[in-house]
Amino acid sequence: MDEAMDFFGVVKRQICNCSLGLNLSPDVEGILKMPMRELHMSIPVRMDDGSIRTFQGFRVQYNNARGPTKGGIRFHPDETINTIRGLAAIMTWKCALHDLPLGGAKGGVICNPKEFSEAELERLSRAYMQSICRFIGPDRDIPAPDVYTNPTVMAWMMDEYANVTGNTAFGVITGKPVSLGGSEGRHDATARGGWMAIREAAADLEMDLAGATVAVQGFGNAGYHAAFLGTAHYGAKIVAVSDSRGAISRPDGLDPEAVLAHKNETGSVIRFEGAETISNEELLELDVDILIPAALENAITMQNADRIRARIVAELANGPTTTEADEILYDHQIHIIPDFLCNGGGVIVSYFEMVQNFTMDHWPEAEVYRRLDEKITTAYRAVKDFSRTYAVPMRQAAYTIAVERVVKAMEYRGCV
Ligand code: NAD
């Protein structure tokens, strides 16, 4: 299979890359390269015109050695089981790297939510929850939002879980609206955590973030907030952004809030007044200080890696760089902040949400941000120190730390 198509293959190769240093036995490596459990389901949904459409859905629980599995739910037309497996594996390493007492999971439905009415979206969300609710729970597997799902979808799913099981368990799903057991700071946690990691990287490179030029691929939850926080908190200049329909650039800088208003009105960032329309490929190759891929996997491949000119690539998306592209960026001395280090803010604040749900508490925003900073900074420094000490790329360092923690838990539990 073509590397860009075989996302799970890419993730498995990363495990091999670090397993030599860890001296993993083939038996242990074999366990780490297979999901623990997969659910495949057909989900019939009545549409507004009275017809019934059947959608294909998945939930992959990858590894629960360190705790209940955790990971988002995607609604996307191009979803595949291969991608969900890879993303569930990444969630395992992400939770371990950030030292959360959680394993990894991911779910998805092959569908295009942009074609649905709100009522259809609600029926699909509830039907998906009905399919998985006997296999999940606050101490088993806890879903969250991901691409094309949001707090409203999480609220419907939480309600459906309560309807089916009789348990009004806030901790069964995270990324809920704040008035329904959601955490302060969850809405922009992925981007906020990403910028905390970028801040550390910039300090290492002696790069001044005030005035630094930034291109952001993807203008959804992660990408919009990355653009907004970049300008509002760090004084960076967002010179280009994109979505699935195309990209725009403005060397003097874009106002992310104005671009969002335009996107909400027209459905896309393209044709924003005062900006030049460019292709998504051109955005990735711009001569900027920081490139933030915040869309989907496989954005940087062998085809374009040679032309990436950013000094820092901060991977807010999961799996935006293929293994071969990764080597090229490393050779070009581009500082990569690997995905599960850079975008850990989302699951970290989701974990804080669970802790608040379990203790029936509600933390102020400042407390959430303080704890998030502590988690991200600790993980960044651990990865950077490992990378420097053993002269290995940041990604390999992150994998090695995370996989070792998962294997230790498997050993203590007597699984290996
Ligand atoms: P989202 O659905 O809110 O936004 C996705 C954006 O990407 C949309 O603007 C879409 O138009 C754009 N897009 C899709 N294909 C594109 C393409 N080919 N080129 C340019 N833009 C494209 O999703 P999100 O929640 O922001 O997630 C984005 C990435 O971040 C995913 O990889 C996701 O797994 C990862 N992530 C998200 C969270 C979170 O908390 N939301 C946490 C960790 C990681």
Side-chain angles (χ1 to χ4, degrees):
M1 201 191 290
D2 172 58
E3 192 191 49
M5 300 295 293
D6 182 17
F7 182 61
F8 187 40
V10 171
V11 174
K12 284 193 286 188
R13 270 192 293 283
Q14 304 288 1
I15 301 171
C16 300
N17 279 350
C18 71
S19 85
L20 275 182
L22 288 176
N23 235 338
L24 296 183
S25 72
D27 295 356
V28 172
E29 208 180 295
I31 297 173
L32 295 176
K33 285 175 163 178
M34 287 289 282
M36 176 184 85
R37 180 183 297 131
E38 285 187 7
L39 303 173
H40 293 228
M41 50 268 190
S42 305
I43 311 171
V45 177
R46 187 163 306 276
M47 308 308 282
D48 290 346
D49 65 4
S51 66
I52 293 179
R53 280 181 66 188
T54 303
F55 298 94
Q56 206 184 348
F58 314 105
R59 182 75 187 164
V60 174
Q61 297 168 345
Y62 198 85
N63 183 304
N64 68 354
R66 288 176 48 89
T69 54
K70 175 120 194 66
I73 298 169
R74 288 181 168 196
F75 287 173
H76 197 277
D78 299 332
E79 207 48 87
T80 69
I81 184 64
N82 181 293
T83 310
I84 297 287
R85 281 181 192 135
L87 293 168
I90 290 179
M91 282 306 297
T92 307
W93 322 133
K94 194 185 300 185
C95 292
L97 179 68
H98 294 284
D99 212 4
L100 307 177
L102 296 165
K106 206 76 175 188
V109 178
I110 305 173
C111 67
N112 187 357
K114 289 180 187 168
E115 292 170 355
F116 297 159
S117 68
E118 186 163 341
E120 289 168 338
L121 184 62
E122 178 172 354
R123 287 196 287 274
L124 174 66
S125 304
R126 288 183 182 277
Y128 179 76
M129 178 49 88
Q130 283 167 21
S131 304
I132 64 168
C133 68
R134 281 172 192 80
F135 303 93
I136 66 162
D139 52 7
R140 284 177 155 198
D141 179 21
I142 307 100
D146 203 285
V147 174
Y148 297 159
T149 57
N150 57 33
T152 307
V153 171
M154 298 303 113
W156 290 326
M157 290 190 178
M158 192 219 100
D159 183 64
E160 197 58 29
Y161 182 83
N163 290 341
V164 177
T165 65
N167 301 322
T168 306
F170 277 152
V172 72
I173 203 159
T174 59
K176 302 179 293 294
V178 171
S179 55
L180 197 69
S183 178
E184 302 291 344
R186 176 63 182 87
H187 67 293
D188 65 4
T190 304
R192 191 175 289 271
W195 271 104
M196 289 164 177
I198 294 171
R199 178 197 66 204
E200 296 300 304
D204 285 341
L205 298 178
E206 296 179 9
M207 177 195 287
D208 192 355
L209 286 180
T213 52
V214 183
V216 182
Q217 185 211 27
F219 204 67
N221 179 302
Y224 162 69
H225 287 113
F228 175 76
L229 292 171
T231 50
H233 288 205
Y234 294 90
K237 194 155 65 165
I238 310 300
V239 296
V241 300
S242 69
D243 61 26
S244 56
R245 299 205 197 154
I248 53 170
S249 102
R250 189 167 182 271
D252 289 342
L254 293 157
D255 172 359
E257 285 178 291
V259 177
L260 181 66
H262 172 78
K263 183 176 165 78
N264 288 341
E265 205 180 300
T266 65
S268 174
V269 299
I270 57 173
R271 285 191 277 281
F272 178 71
E273 208 182 320
E276 186 193 344
T277 296
I278 58 171
S279 68
N280 251 307
E281 292 72 31
E282 286 171 314
L283 176 140
L284 294 170
E285 296 166 15
L286 287 174
D287 188 5
V288 287
D289 295 312
I290 303 164
L291 172 63
I292 305 184
L296 295 174
E297 52 285 348
N298 299 328
I300 305 175
T301 66
M302 275 221 349
Q303 269 67 49
N304 61 1
D306 249 336
R307 297 191 294 275
I308 304 294
R309 286 184 284 173
R311 279 181 77 197
I312 295 176
V313 173
E315 296 181 339
L316 269 196
N318 282 307
T321 311
T322 65
T323 319
E324 285 148 346
D326 206 27
E327 284 165 16
I328 297 171
L329 299 191
Y330 185 67
D331 286 347
H332 290 194
Q333 296 182 346
I334 294 173
H335 187 80
I336 302 173
I337 310 176
D339 51 4
F340 64 94
L341 169 60
C342 192
N343 67 26
V347 72
I348 291 170
V349 177
S350 270
Y351 162 70
F352 295 163
E353 184 174 329
M354 289 173 64
V355 173
Q356 293 169 78
N357 292 157
F358 290 152
T359 54
M360 296 280 196
D361 201 358
H362 189 79
W363 301 347
E365 198 177 68
E367 177 68 6
V368 172
Y369 293 162
R370 184 188 67 72
R371 289 179 186 241
L372 172 63
D373 204 337
E374 200 173 286
K375 280 273 181 210
I376 292 278
T377 307
T378 303
Y380 181 92
R381 296 266 54 108
V383 171
K384 182 72 195 161
D385 289 351
F386 191 103
S387 156
R388 193 179 287 137
T389 307
Y390 297 101
V392 294
M394 289 283 281
R395 194 181 315 277
Q396 195 175 333
Y399 260 92
T400 310
I401 294 170
V403 169
E404 185 174 29
R405 287 180 182 169
V406 173
V407 172
K408 270 267 169 311
M410 285 160 57
E411 284 169 0
Y412 281 131
R413 290 178 67 158
C415 311
V416 291

